[in-house]
Amino acid sequence: MAFYVDIRRCIGCRSCEVACERVHGGRGHVQVHFVGDSASVPLFCHHCEEASCATACSFGALFKEGERTAFDVEKCTGCGLCSLACPFGVVWTDKIAHKCDLCDGRPEPTCVATCPADALSTDFDLLARRARSRAARAAAQGGRR
Amino acid sequence: MIRVDPSLCIGCLSCSNVCPSQNILRTETVEERRIRWKRCREECDLCVELCPARALTLVPIDESAPEPEVSFPLVGCRICGRRYAPEPMLRRVEAALPKSQSPEWVWDCPACRRRAEAERTTGEMVAARRRRRG
Ligand code: SF4
Ligand code: SF4
Ligand code: SF4
Ligand code: SF4
């Protein structure tokens, strides 16, 4: 399972950030970024197919497990190589790595369950449907989006 | 005690993180990272085992040997200039990643990578809003 962001819906409230921190002992794995004064976007691990973080880790603490890039805290030495390898800057280290575990053991990713604007979803089709209806609406209004 | 091969050490601080007796000291300024191995007397080789660069060995204690110390200047980010990592760590990561990915991002600090990603993902949307506002 992965999850997806509909950036048009993100209102920059940082609820996902706080929710992730709450369930991970104060160290969250999402960071909401603001671009200019009109856009916000939550940044988190993409669970890359070819995960650079896992390639860089010498101890197998990061590894692919199905779609997920999983993390085994017992194996981590906090060397920080994963943080330097991730192209998106979304794995942090301070004596230990902190990375999205897709809320392993919970029924749903906490950030997805929390987002009040419905910007996050585990359902790619839902987002695709929304994008199509937006496009249809725009076409009906004379091509303006 | 611990012997260090400074030509192998990449300055990652694994050893210092895993040492249960705080025998491996680190100091970091904005410019450099410094690591010092105290004369360790423990029956333990965790740091030796968990050094990703295999830079450490366990040797008999020698009171006259100075405590080993290494220091690394931190490399400045290509974008913002902030110093963020020892060069050997960056070189190791760059070498580990597939060439096909041309991993130049290694030379940008993680904060600038996030900023770039935020701009990339919102770019189209922001441009559309601007057009709409005319
Ligand atoms: S931490 Fe970075 S490299 Fe690793 S899977 Fe997530 S996005 Fe990809
Ligand atoms: S910090 Fe931990 S997870 Fe990251 S590369 Fe080092 S050992 Fe692996
Ligand atoms: S899925 Fe869970 S761990 Fe991953 S970013 Fe969301 S709340 Fe954090
Ligand atoms: S773990 Fe090895 S490479 Fe990393 S700082 Fe210690 S001696 Fe150097």
Side-chain angles (χ1 to χ4, degrees), chain A residues 53 56-59 61-62 71 75-82 93 96-97:
Chain A
C53 58
C57 181
S58 317
F59 304 106
L62 289 161
F71 174 58
K75 291 187 177 157
C76 176
T77 67
C79 69
L81 290 170
C82 52
T93 25
I96 206 119

Side-chain angles (χ1 to χ4, degrees), chain B residues 4 8-15 35 37 50-53 55-56:
Chain B
V4 188
L8 292 178
C9 174
I10 59 173
C12 71
L13 300 176
S14 276
C15 52
I35 310 164
W37 288 261
L50 293 173
C51 167
L56 304 178

